[in-house]
Amino acid sequence: DGAMAPGPAAAAVVSAALTIGGGGSVGPEGPIAELGASTASLFGRRLGLPRRAVRLLAAAGTAAGIAAAFNAPLAGAFFAMEGVLVDFVVLACVSSTVLSHHVLGTSLSLSLPTLNLTGDAQLGWVSVLGVLGGLIGVGFSRARYLSADAAATGADRLRIPDWARPAAGGLLVGGILLVVPEMYGESSAILGRALDGRYTAAALAGLVLAKIIATSATLAVGMPGGVFAPSLFIGGTLGACFGTLTTPERPEAAAVFGVLGMGAVFSGAARAPLTGVILIIEMTGQYNLLTPLMLAVALSTVTGRFLTRSTIYTEELRRRGMSIEDPQAPTSFG
């Protein structure tokens, strides 16, 4: 209904900053979007606006947070449309992006040389990656919630009080970081190295699995954070691994398929295909990869819809007892 309390949202941002700064394997985009939504909701309710207007403002706040976090105004708008409300909130995205340009600059989230997919024959590999990305996206979503169930059960059996669970879980996350220090925080620098082709295929496969485990463990023990950035990391390293294995003769294959993998895994987990395409294009500036990216994202979305009725976002609402329908994508490809 658009009603969101600002206090918990502000607390989530502070807690997420501490979590990421302390090494938790999550992203800041989720709490940023939550704070944007709650601020807009409070603004609308203070003005005495009707419920539909407040809901639209809350969606606009969500979109503005995503747009500013990724420097991606169109992706923010489409995320709100596909994942929150079927309404357009472009003005909020534009204003937040302009403000972020003044504060943070206008550089791309990922700086890569111009990439191309050579030959239509490569689209066959793109199709395989799209399906694989859908499978991994759904697997990431399930691992996130199965880990939460396991952590809750374990804490109950050990009779650990709620306030102490994040502290106890911090030991677990710290142990993971000792084994795989690349999982610290957002791991954006590691993603850049993966797209540069600096890792072997085996190492990249290990990073995919490690990120799923580290993010699931971080969220399971009660540390707040977003899944946007982890899903992009998982997709990027998955695609880089795939490109390294399938076309080892091409040094840029890790970057090409890594970009495609980012969109595929995100769309497989969130089932927001237009957001996946536009977000990756705005983040990387790789317009030459638009067609293969659309193919990968479309196939990953179909794969996700075939395997589960909920997404990585709606599953949490379903577990709270809310009736959530399977997200429809009237704007999806085809």
Side-chain angles (χ1 to χ4, degrees):
D1 294 330
M4 295 184 66
V13 170
V14 174
S15 300
L18 294 173
T19 295
I20 297 169
S25 185
V26 290
E29 298 81 16
I32 290 173
E34 184 179 349
L35 183 62
S38 63
T39 303
S41 173
L42 177 64
F43 179 75
R45 284 184 284 128
R46 289 289 177 88
L47 289 178
L49 298 178
R51 185 169 63 178
R52 185 183 183 282
V54 174
R55 292 177 68 229
L56 181 58
L57 279 177
T62 300
I66 294 297
F70 285 109
N71 188 23
L74 278 176
F78 277 103
F79 178 73
M81 183 182 71
E82 292 185 304
V84 184
L85 291 175
V86 185
D87 279 303
F88 249 67
V89 284
V90 176
L91 182 59
C93 296
V94 171
S95 59
S96 68
T97 304
V98 170
L99 179 60
S100 71
H101 285 175
H102 285 290
V103 176
L104 302 175
T106 59
S107 60
L108 295 172
S109 298
L110 284 172
S111 181
L112 298 169
T114 301
L115 303 173
N116 287 285
L117 192 71
T118 58
D120 292 340
Q122 294 291 319
L123 292 177
W125 288 124
V126 173
S127 300
V128 176
L129 178 60
V131 174
L132 182 60
L135 293 172
I136 295 297
V138 172
F140 173 45
S141 178
R142 290 185 175 175
R144 181 255 185 275
Y145 291 104
L146 288 175
S147 298
D149 292 340
T153 301
D156 289 339
R157 289 180 177 177
L158 296 174
R159 297 181 180 180
I160 301 175
D162 289 344
W163 60 266
R165 293 184 184 189
L171 296 175
L172 172 62
V173 176
I176 294 173
L177 294 179
L178 286 175
V179 178
V180 192
E182 291 86 354
M183 296 301 101
Y184 195 104
E186 291 185 80
S187 306
S188 55
I190 305 301
L191 176 58
R193 293 173 193 159
L195 297 181
D196 282 342
R198 301 185 188 181
Y199 294 102
T200 63
L204 290 167
L207 289 175
V208 172
L209 180 61
K211 194 64 174 180
I212 292 175
I213 295 173
T215 302
S216 298
T218 301
L219 295 172
V221 299
M223 299 179 185
V227 294
F228 235 115
S231 69
L232 296 179
F233 179 94
I234 293 167
T237 48
L238 172 69
C241 175
F242 186 86
T244 301
L245 288 173
T246 57
T247 52
E249 71 280 1
R250 293 186 60 198
E252 73 278 13
V256 171
F257 285 95
V259 169
L260 302 179
M262 290 167 66
V265 171
F266 168 77
S267 298
R271 284 215 297 282
L274 283 177
T275 302
V277 171
I278 295 171
L279 174 66
I280 303 307
I281 292 297
E282 288 188 304
M283 284 181 62
T284 64
Q286 300 297 328
Y287 294 94
N288 291 335
L289 296 180
L290 178 59
T291 298
L293 181 60
M294 290 172 66
L295 176 61
V297 165
L299 290 174
S300 69
T301 302
V302 170
T303 302
R305 285 180 60 86
F306 178 77
L307 294 174
T308 178
R309 305 299 294 175
S310 61
T311 73
I312 198 168
Y313 296 110
T314 61
E315 176 64 17
E316 184 169 353
L317 300 177
R318 188 189 67 80
R319 286 167 171 253
R320 295 179 186 178
M322 301 178 66
S323 178
I324 302 297
E325 296 182 359
D326 180 42
Q328 300 298 314
T331 51
S332 61
F333 311 117

